[in-house]
Amino acid sequence: MDTETAEAFEKLSREVREGLQEVRTELRAEIRVGLHGVRTELRTEIQDVKRHSDVVAESLRSEIRLVAEGVAGLDEKFTLEFRNVRGEIREQIGDVKSLIRASYGDLDRRIKPS
C-alpha cells in the first residue's frame, strides 16, 4: 500500500470511528430520554393505580361497615326473638305442668275413695 492510500485509509477509518462514536453518543442520549419518559409514565400509572386502589378499598370498607351493622342488627333481633320464644315456651310448660297436676289430682281422687 502506498502512502497516499494508507493516509486515505487512516482518514476513512478515523471518520468511521468518529461517526460510530457520534452514533453511540446520540443513541445513548435517546435511550436516556426514552427511559426517562417510560419511568415518568410508569410513575404516573402507578399513582393512578394507587388512587384507584384507595378508592376501591374505601368503598369496600364502607360496604363492610354496612354489612357489620346489618349483622349486629340481626343479632339483636335474633336475641330478642329467642328471649320471646323462651318466655313463650316457659309459659306453655307452666300451663302443661298445671294441666298435668290437675289431671293427676283428678286421677288421684278417682283412685283414692274418700
Side-chain angles (χ1 to χ4, degrees), residues 23-42:
V23 168
R24 276 190 218 135
T25 303
E26 289 174 12
L27 197 55
R28 285 180 182 153
E30 286 181 32
I31 289 172
R32 279 189 201 111
V33 169
L35 283 176
H36 179 71
V38 168
R39 285 183 184 133
T40 302
E41 287 179 36
L42 278 175

Side-chain angles (χ1 to χ4, degrees), residues 40-53:
T40 302
E41 287 179 36
L42 278 175
R43 284 187 190 113
T44 302
E45 288 294 320
I46 289 169
Q47 291 301 323
D48 289 347
V49 168
K50 282 182 181 179
R51 275 191 292 276
H52 179 71
S53 297

